[in-house]
Amino acid sequence: MRIMIDGRYLPGNARVNRDLLITLRNMAQMLKWGIRYDAQRELVLINSKDSSMPPLPLENPADERTEDENARLAGKVICLDPGHGGSDPGAVGPTGTREKDNTLAIALLLKEKLEKNGATIVMTRDTDTDVTYTDATSKEELGARVEAARQAEADMFVSIHNDSFTSTTAAGTTTFHYGGKDSIKLANLVQRSLVENLGTKNRGARFASFYVLRYTNMPSILVEVAFISNPVEEMLLSSVDGRENAAESICDGILKYYKV
């Protein structure tokens, strides 16, 4: 059942039952609201401005779908952590592209996509800066990222990175977790989506004891999107289309995690 107040849909659906309908009707009577129930569409309409009967909305399934899509992650707080930044460039590719630039670009695209689905996004950084201060120790920098998620009481933590190896032939995508069924589930869904959409080698969803995974207290993953040390994957990571596809893939995995 959908609920519409003053012409706007509330996020989510509720199971239709007699008690809920009676409660809504009694509330409307007490507050002198107009109320109407459309059984065919399983839709409750409320007019909070006066007691007049609210009109039925025009038949427009596309608009209803848009409302649904915009509210799919309503109430969820997601912390996005673009790896490295500021004085720490991260790994550098064969042509000089920097991990910190790729991770920030993907994270900002992902932020936009998640916000369009109703999520509240907390960024550990949204520009090319250190999270703490220039030349902070690794522990200080990583601790600040964890603390950002904790302070926001985030429902999920997603750290975005580029992989690197001494051999330029190393390739593929990996998503790491620190155990726990929710983190494992999230890692597997994001990993599958990335590999399918990017066409990269599937290196699997794996356990790892990274600081940001070990000390966060919510479902957390660290995504190694592809190898910046591999010339072909460096192009993927630094291209507009590659970054867009990576962000879309991670977003898709998150939506599947929440089953929306």
Side-chain angles (χ1 to χ4, degrees):
M1 178 179 70
R2 301 297 309 279
I3 299 174
M4 176 185 277
I5 299 180
D6 298 333
R8 294 183 63 83
Y9 288 98
L10 293 183
N13 288 282
R15 188 179 299 277
V16 178
N17 65 68
R18 179 175 173 274
D19 289 342
L20 177 58
L21 291 173
I22 290 173
T23 299
L24 289 173
R25 187 190 65 190
N26 291 341
M27 182 186 301
Q29 288 176 347
M30 182 178 67
L31 297 172
K32 298 186 175 0
W33 289 352
I35 188 168
R36 160 183 234 156
Y37 177 53
D38 181 356
Q40 184 176 0
R41 283 189 272 185
E42 294 188 347
L43 176 64
V44 174
L45 300 107
I46 294 173
N47 175 17
S48 71
K49 302 185 187 309
D50 54 57
S51 59
S52 63
M53 178 91 57
L56 288 170
L58 297 174
E59 290 283 354
N60 196 336
D63 285 349
E64 291 192 21
R65 282 198 301 272
T66 299
E67 290 283 352
D68 277 336
E69 289 171 2
N70 289 345
R72 289 189 292 184
L73 295 177
K76 303 299 181 185
V77 178
I78 300 174
C79 182
L80 300 182
D81 174 41
H84 309 282
S87 59
D88 175 14
V92 178
T95 67
T97 62
R98 301 177 299 185
E99 181 179 3
K100 68 173 183 176
D101 299 327
N102 295 336
T103 60
L104 180 59
I106 293 169
L108 289 173
L109 290 169
L110 177 57
K111 174 180 184 288
E112 181 180 342
K113 295 175 187 300
L114 293 171
E115 286 179 336
K116 284 182 178 178
N117 282 279
T120 298
I121 304 303
V122 175
M123 301 282 290
T124 59
R125 67 180 182 96
D126 55 14
T127 58
D128 181 19
T129 58
D130 298 86
V131 177
T132 50
Y133 55 88
T134 303
D135 296 326
T137 66
S138 176
K139 186 174 182 179
E140 288 172 325
E141 184 71 4
L142 296 173
R145 295 168 192 262
V146 169
E147 188 60 24
R150 284 182 178 169
Q151 288 289 330
E153 297 183 349
D155 298 293
M156 177 183 293
F157 178 87
V158 179
S159 189
I160 300 171
H161 288 259
N162 299 168
D163 220 333
S164 184
F165 193 61
T166 52
S167 170
T168 58
T169 60
T173 299
T174 315
T175 304
F176 292 100
H177 59 80
Y178 187 61
K181 66 178 183 179
D182 291 332
S183 293
I184 293 172
K185 175 185 174 183
L186 176 60
N188 277 297
L189 290 170
V190 169
Q191 174 71 11
R192 187 179 306 132
S193 182
L194 280 164
V195 169
E196 288 176 357
N197 292 333
L198 296 181
T200 48
K201 177 183 176 181
N202 188 353
R203 299 174 67 91
R206 305 182 185 181
F207 172 89
S209 186
F210 295 126
Y211 189 104
V212 294
L213 300 182
R214 196 163 67 246
Y215 291 107
T216 42
N217 56 1
M218 68 286 297
S220 301
I221 59 173
L222 187 148
V223 182
E224 297 279 11
V225 178
F227 276 78
I228 195 172
S229 53
N230 180 301
V232 174
E233 293 193 350
E234 180 192 22
M235 290 177 60
L236 174 100
L237 291 164
S238 60
S239 70
V240 173
D241 287 345
R243 291 169 171 178
E244 174 70 24
N245 288 339
E248 185 67 37
S249 301
I250 298 171
C251 181
D252 178 65
I254 292 171
L255 289 171
K256 287 177 178 175
Y257 171 83
Y258 284 117
K259 297 180 180 178
V260 292

